[in-house]
Amino acid sequence: MAEVEAALVLDGVTAAYDRDPVLRGVTGTVPVGGSLALIGPNGAGKSTLIRAILGLVPIVAGSVEVLGTTPAHARALVAYVPQADQLDREFPVSVLQVVLMGRYRMVGWLRRPNAAHRRAAMDALAEVGLADRADERFGVLSGGQRQRVLLARAVAQEARLLLLDEPFNGVDATTTDALLAVLARLRADGVAVVMSTHDLSVAHLACDEACLLNGEQFAFAAIAEALTSERLKATYGSSALLLDDGATLLAR
Amino acid sequence: MRELLIEPFQAGYMRRAIVEIVVLGVLGGVIGVHVLLRRLSFLTEVVQHTVFPGIAIAFAFGQSLLVGALTTGLASVVLLTMLGRTRRIDADSAMAVLFAVFLAVGVVVVSRRRGFQSDLTALLFGRILAVDERQLIDTFVVAGLCLVVLAVLHKELVLRAFDQGGAEALGYPVNRLDLVLDAVIALAVVAGIRAMGTVLVVALVITPAATARLLCRRVGTSMAVAAVLGAVGGWLGLVISYDASVHHGWRLAPGATLVMVLTIGFVLVAAGSWFVRHRRVRALVVAA
Amino acid sequence: MSRLVDSFQSPLFRRAMIEAICVGLIAGVVGVHVILRRLPFFVTAMSHATFPGVVLASAAGVSLFVGGTAFGFVVVAAVLLLGAGRVLDNTAVIGVVLAGSFALGMMILSTRPSSSKDLSAFLVGSVLTVTNADIATTIGVGIAVLGLLALLHKELVLGAFDSDGAGALGYRTVLLDAIVLGAITVTLVSAIPAVGTLLAVALLTVPALTARLWTDRLGTTMLLAGIFGAASGAIGLCAAATWSVAAGGSIALTAGAVFAVSLAATSIGHRRRTRPPPRLAVG
């Protein structure tokens, strides 16, 4: 694949869910190795935007360019990390099997993962600090640990663009540190990161750009520039509370 | 037209059948709205089959079918609660197991008898034309009881369906409310079984309510519409099956026919509402 | 007991035994996918919904298997179409379609003479009258379905575990879903001669759930589910011959008994195992 400058180019993206448009006119660029936080209240369209970048939601107007091509063509190079809570905890799969799922496209149809794939999966698991839990059932892990396993799955996929849905939602401090460390390492290797989040402090730690969303785009800029009190107030409306010292409290 | 709709009811058995089906239609419609609010369709489906062994056993020993049905229906609700409490299997799976096992018990019991095929058919599909006056009274009593309970607990049941956490926070005994609704569903199913059989009674509960949900936004109006739909659908179904067999020589099973009428009504309304929504959304997209 | 021994002499019974074991094995393994995707209600609905297809096929004199499968696919399409409006949730739509299609089958059947005997054969099966063609269909379906599930194992499991993730990896999740639903429907219909439409649900859910109680490993679950299913078929058929009851009922009941015993046995072990080891307690 030829070198591309931008990992992700959004140009006036309008996306629709079940024919109802929920997101309008999102425009911006994430460079290779860059990172973007999607910030906005619940129902603002953060997940829809992520799904549009994955090509899972129809785009009514505008365009999405992923790694110099269309979302459908770039899929093998894009990894998606869902919220751990969305997955069935009773499902009989081991932690290692979940991580291996990231490599299924490399394994190909009708084949089983070989030793090299297992090694890659174990390495990814070791990076999130859970190598000793590889044989346990996914569902018995804590929420934070499951979130780390899902990140390990994305690492094992060796993607160039990583999309995370609320990765820091309700996780413990160990997990937050582990996730931040892995994301920093990936970015140093040239992987671009896009995550939705409610947590402004984590957004500051993990990302250098932010996109404020609430049905439409309120800002798409360097994070310090985007996350000003005025802009947050404009995005969140009455659920943003400005404190005397200039800090902003956001209700979900 | 008038002749078509009224004439069949000259015969006493048709009069009893129509009264039975109108009462059941109203009851099923009202309960169905609760079933849909709480997403209990599968539970209703399961309960209608778990009462089957009770009926089969009562039938084999010449006891009251109602008592037999109530016993196993109640047993299945208790077992479901116990299986749910183990947390080892999810609710849907527990219901599937109970469904299969209870049905199997019923089949085994019935099949011990000679010529079991026609008994089985009667139990599974009911005999609405054979309803007698005592059964009518049973149905009235059960329907009255269910409707009174639902009316008295209306706002609590709706609150719980909408927001379990909120109901708990307000201090309502949510578990007991759930048990009451489950029991009402079981009672209604039992009441409907002699007429509709243990396979089709679910249609009287779910189909009119689902149709009403497509038409109305409020719980109260949904109930009224569902009750009317249930009663009218039952009436039409009976008339059609009577007319087909008396005037055209087609034997159409009355229970199955009335369920088909209800289903066709649902499909028409669903198609209509889909069309309306589609046009509205397309207008929205164009505006965007 | 001697009646049971006599039974083995009869070619009818031997055929029935082959059919019961094959159906139990196939349905047991396919049932694991039913449990993974939490589809018991779908299976229940399909067991009713294939009914009119079977009745029509029998009236038209074509293969019950083809008729049931074809109508099953029509019903799946109807559920997807009616559910697309999002006003009603899926369970309500499934409930309506389930009862409606069963009623349709009943109506068609009631216009034909000698309906109640045919009806009971559809509903609870009549394994003692299976023909060589039935057995051939079952074995053919079994090889096709189990082969497909084995070849696509990892993709189907991924689709069940994390549908969005599978979509993000570039899999057509609709296709994966359709393969699983298709396999379930075909298995269900092929089980009708042995256990009937109503009780096919038992073989498609209970052995898989029983296997799940014993193990957390997916491969082992499938193996055990196949064994439990086949054993339920064999033991149930013997019980039916011994006490002369309907075989469909006794097969389902055997599966239920195996489940109950497993639940009791594993509950004891489960309680002992879940005393938290220190490391788990922190996590």
Side-chain angles (χ1 to χ4, degrees):
Chain A
M1 167 154 285
E3 277 305 307
V4 281
E5 303 255 305
L8 176 65
V9 181
L10 304 171
D11 184 10
V13 176
T14 298
Y17 244 131
D18 287 339
R19 299 191 289 276
D20 295 324
V22 289
L23 190 64
R24 284 177 195 167
V26 180
T27 301
T29 303
V30 181
V32 167
S35 60
L36 172 71
L38 304 176
I39 293 168
N42 277 343
K46 305 189 293 281
S47 303
T48 307
L49 183 56
I50 286 181
R51 292 172 65 86
I53 297 169
L54 286 167
L56 298 179
V57 172
I59 293 162
V60 186
S63 70
V64 175
E65 192 183 306
V66 179
L67 301 159
T69 177
T70 61
H73 281 102
R75 268 197 190 134
L77 299 171
V78 179
Y80 169 62
V81 181
Q83 287 188 53
D85 290 344
Q86 289 168 357
L87 300 176
D88 183 357
R89 294 191 66 175
E90 292 303 316
F91 206 96
V93 281
S94 72
V95 167
L96 183 64
Q97 276 172 321
V98 173
V99 180
L100 271 174
M101 285 173 182
R103 298 187 72 84
Y104 277 5
R105 292 263 73 168
M106 281 178 252
V107 175
W109 293 91
L110 311 186
R111 299 218 193 118
R112 292 168 56 81
N114 61 21
H117 293 302
R118 285 173 185 281
R119 224 167 17 248
M122 278 309 289
D123 289 348
L125 209 44
E127 192 173 358
V128 298
L130 291 171
D132 56 332
R133 310 295 294 272
D135 280 334
E136 285 179 53
R137 182 160 61 85
F138 180 70
V140 303
L141 268 52
S142 73
Q145 288 166 336
R146 279 180 284 140
Q147 195 68 57
R148 279 190 268 161
V149 172
L150 294 175
L151 182 61
R153 180 173 80 168
V155 169
Q157 195 186 332
E158 296 172 9
R160 309 297 303 156
L161 172 64
L162 208 56
L163 303 169
L164 304 97
D165 189 6
E166 301 282 353
F168 298 98
N169 206 357
V171 300
D172 52 284
T174 322
T175 296
T176 306
D177 290 346
L179 293 180
L180 286 173
V182 174
L183 291 178
R185 198 275 294 168
L186 288 170
R187 291 184 53 202
D189 290 347
V191 177
V193 173
V194 175
M195 69 171 76
S196 63
T197 184
H198 280 107
D199 187 332
L200 298 187
S201 61
V202 166
H204 273 285
L205 287 173
C207 300
D208 38 39
E209 283 188 290
C211 171
L212 286 176
L213 283 177
N214 192 0
E216 57 191 302
Q217 175 178 321
F218 284 80
F220 195 127
I223 195 148
E225 212 178 303
L227 299 187
T228 59
S229 295
E230 298 78 50
R231 283 191 160 144
L232 286 170
K233 179 116 177 110
T235 310
Y236 280 78
S238 59
S239 53
L241 181 63
L242 301 183
L243 300 183
D244 289 343
D245 58 0
T248 311
L249 284 183
L250 300 175
R252 285 220 172 154
Chain B
M1 195 66 199
R2 203 189 112 85
E3 269 180 21
L4 192 67
L5 288 179
I6 308 297
E7 181 233 281
F9 304 105
Q10 308 289 322
Y13 71 94
M14 281 300 281
R15 264 203 305 275
R16 284 193 295 276
I18 197 71
V19 173
E20 171 86 1
I21 203 63
V22 165
V23 172
L24 289 176
V26 169
L27 178 64
V30 172
I31 289 180
V33 172
H34 279 291
V35 167
L36 294 194
L37 284 179
R38 290 274 318 282
R39 305 181 176 212
L40 294 176
S41 305
F42 194 22
L43 177 85
T44 314
E45 164 70 15
V46 169
V47 166
Q48 72 167 352
H49 285 297
T50 57
V51 299
F52 178 55
I55 297 183
I57 292 168
F59 185 70
F61 292 97
Q63 300 295 315
S64 154
L65 298 191
L66 197 66
V67 173
L70 272 180
T71 313
T72 47
L74 216 68
S76 73
V77 171
V78 170
L79 273 174
L80 259 186
T81 319
M82 277 167 58
L83 275 179
R85 200 161 284 172
T86 63
R87 288 169 187 276
R88 307 259 331 264
I89 58 176
D90 63 302
D92 271 16
S93 302
M95 287 197 269
V97 172
L98 284 187
F99 168 89
V101 170
F102 274 68
L103 192 63
V105 170
V107 169
V108 165
V109 169
V110 174
S111 70
R112 285 290 293 165
R113 296 166 60 87
R114 233 169 256 285
F116 77 91
Q117 279 100 348
S118 74
D119 292 349
L120 184 71
T121 319
L123 294 180
L124 287 174
F125 301 107
R127 284 195 172 147
I128 184 145
L129 300 183
V131 170
D132 61 27
E133 263 155 38
R134 241 199 62 214
Q135 278 173 283
L136 266 186
I137 294 170
D138 285 352
T139 308
F140 277 130
V141 171
V142 171
L145 187 69
C146 289
L147 290 176
V148 166
V149 169
L150 290 184
V152 169
L153 295 177
H154 180 79
K155 67 176 190 311
E156 286 80 7
L157 287 172
V158 173
L159 167 67
R160 183 264 170 270
F162 173 67
D163 177 11
Q164 177 177 3
E168 274 166 355
L170 283 170
Y172 286 110
V174 167
N175 285 333
R176 252 175 282 167
L177 280 177
D178 288 358
L179 202 65
V180 168
L181 185 60
D182 290 358
V184 167
I185 293 171
L187 262 179
V189 166
V190 168
I193 267 176
R194 267 176 313 192
M196 298 292 294
T198 65
V199 179
L200 294 176
V201 76
V202 72
L204 272 186
V205 176
I206 296 178
T207 308
T211 315
R213 275 290 288 276
L214 291 171
L215 291 170
C216 335
R217 285 154 192 273
R218 288 170 190 280
V219 175
T221 45
S222 286
M223 283 181 177
V225 171
V228 170
L229 284 174
V232 170
W235 184 303
L236 275 180
L238 269 187
V239 167
I240 290 172
S241 101
Y242 178 87
D243 191 60
S245 52
V246 172
H247 296 146
H248 302 281
W250 283 26
R251 295 193 304 144
L252 288 181
T257 310
L258 77 86
V259 173
M260 271 322 287
V261 169
L262 293 174
T263 309
I264 291 170
F266 172 81
V267 170
L268 290 179
V269 170
S273 81
W274 182 83
F275 184 70
V276 169
R277 266 175 53 86
H278 196 70
R279 271 198 355 193
R280 204 172 52 218
V281 171
R282 208 158 40 191
L284 247 173
V285 172
V286 170
Chain C
M1 214 57 208
S2 68
R3 201 193 296 181
L4 181 59
V5 177
D6 291 345
S7 303
F8 273 102
Q9 315 279 327
S10 118
L12 283 184
F13 186 81
R14 279 201 300 269
R15 270 209 295 269
M17 187 51 96
I18 296 172
E19 174 77 5
I21 289 177
C22 288
V23 165
L25 176 74
I26 301 160
V29 176
V30 174
V32 175
H33 280 282
V34 174
I35 301 307
L36 287 184
R37 288 173 176 258
R38 313 209 158 198
L39 293 173
F41 189 36
F42 171 80
V43 174
T44 312
M46 285 309 292
S47 73
H48 292 54
T50 49
F51 182 58
V54 176
V55 174
L56 279 175
S58 136
V62 299
S63 152
L64 300 190
F65 177 76
V66 172
T69 307
F71 203 84
F73 289 141
V74 171
V75 167
V76 171
V79 168
L80 293 178
L81 205 69
L82 290 171
R86 291 215 302 171
V87 180
L88 291 166
D89 69 295
N90 247 334
T91 58
V93 174
I94 291 176
V96 171
V97 172
L98 170 160
S101 50
F102 207 91
L104 180 62
M106 273 293 300
M107 266 175 73
I108 299 168
L109 199 64
S110 65
T111 60
R112 304 178 54 221
S114 85
S115 57
S116 67
K117 188 156 182 228
D118 296 348
L119 181 64
S120 75
F122 292 137
L123 293 176
V124 300
S126 69
V127 72
L128 288 172
T129 61
V130 291
T131 60
N132 285 335
D134 288 333
I135 295 179
T137 308
T138 307
I139 292 177
V141 165
I143 291 171
V145 166
L146 296 186
L148 192 67
L149 293 187
L151 287 176
L152 302 179
H153 180 76
K154 67 179 190 309
E155 286 82 11
L156 295 179
V157 172
L158 169 61
F161 175 66
D162 179 7
S163 184
D164 277 355
L169 278 171
Y171 290 106
R172 295 253 200 126
T173 48
V174 181
L175 194 67
L176 294 177
D177 294 348
I179 289 172
V180 172
L181 297 187
I184 292 170
T185 307
V186 170
T187 310
L188 189 75
V189 177
S190 75
I192 289 177
V195 291
T197 47
L198 292 181
L199 292 170
V201 183
L203 285 179
L204 269 168
T205 51
V206 180
L209 279 169
T210 313
R212 231 0 230 104
L213 293 174
W214 288 103
T215 176
D216 272 347
R217 297 269 155 195
L218 192 53
T220 324
T221 307
M222 292 195 155
L223 187 71
L224 282 179
I227 294 172
F228 287 143
S232 303
I235 298 169
L237 187 60
C238 291
T242 310
W243 290 292
S244 64
V245 294
S250 66
I251 290 173
L253 210 51
T254 310
V258 175
F259 174 81
V261 170
S262 298
L263 186 64
T266 56
S267 290
I268 301 163
H270 189 75
R271 217 164 280 154
R272 203 170 294 152
R273 248 182 303 139
T274 44
R275 293 257 161 79
R279 192 184 55 189
L280 275 179
V282 180

